Amino acid sequence: MTTTATRGALEDRRMPVQARLGAAWASFMFLYIYVDYYHLYKPGTVDRILDGRVFEFAVSPGLLTGFLALIAVPSLMVVLSLTLRAGANRITQLAVASLYIPVTVFNAVGEAWEWTPFYALSIGLELLLLAVILRAAATWPRTPASVTADAHGHREAASPRG
């Protein structure tokens, strides 16, 4: 029988910031989509949609385009997290995650108190993921000043002569 002591501790490698951000945005998207999907099960929701109303708005090309834009931004953040250079990535993460805090909270506006557990859990989890994104971007590790990159992006120690 092999024990943990004889096998050693589990290895815990540090994941790159870009991968953590991409994963957080992907998780955010899953919640965002499923919350909207489960919202359809609320009594009267589908009837209002079939009557041409969503929340307080008439269903229109402009409204649906706006909804698509709201979902497109965090969807694109998954790939942008993995492809943008560090400086632009950090700024983009901080800006977009900050902008999605009020968007996320808005989902509870006008809802009946009986739906508080549903919205508290869904909005709470989405806000938690946005906080993870903001923290990861705000604490993005910096390269020591003595390390530079050559023209191909390979890092090398700076020459002692400057």
Side-chain angles (χ1 to χ4, degrees), residues 18-92:
Q18 296 91 331
R20 285 187 285 146
L21 290 166
W25 281 113
S27 294
F28 180 85
M29 284 303 307
F30 277 114
L31 278 169
Y32 201 94
I33 291 165
Y34 273 104
V35 168
D36 283 353
Y37 175 76
Y38 289 138
H39 175 81
L40 295 173
Y41 287 94
K42 284 179 60 181
T45 299
V46 173
D47 293 332
R48 283 190 297 281
I49 292 169
L50 292 174
D51 287 339
R53 307 235 18 109
V54 173
F55 185 55
E56 299 294 324
F57 308 106
V59 174
S60 68
L63 180 70
L64 294 183
T65 302
F67 286 170
L68 180 60
L70 276 176
I71 201 79
V73 172
S75 296
L76 292 172
M77 288 305 294
V78 176
V79 72
L80 291 176
S81 298
L82 300 171
T83 58
L84 286 177
R85 293 188 61 125
N89 202 337
R90 181 175 185 266
I91 291 167
T92 303

Side-chain angles (χ1 to χ4, degrees), residues 93-116:
Q93 299 292 334
L94 292 170
V96 174
S98 296
L99 289 172
Y100 268 78
I101 291 171
V103 170
T104 299
V105 173
F106 179 77
N107 285 321
V109 171
E111 293 298 336
W113 282 106
E114 67 185 300
W115 290 95
T116 299

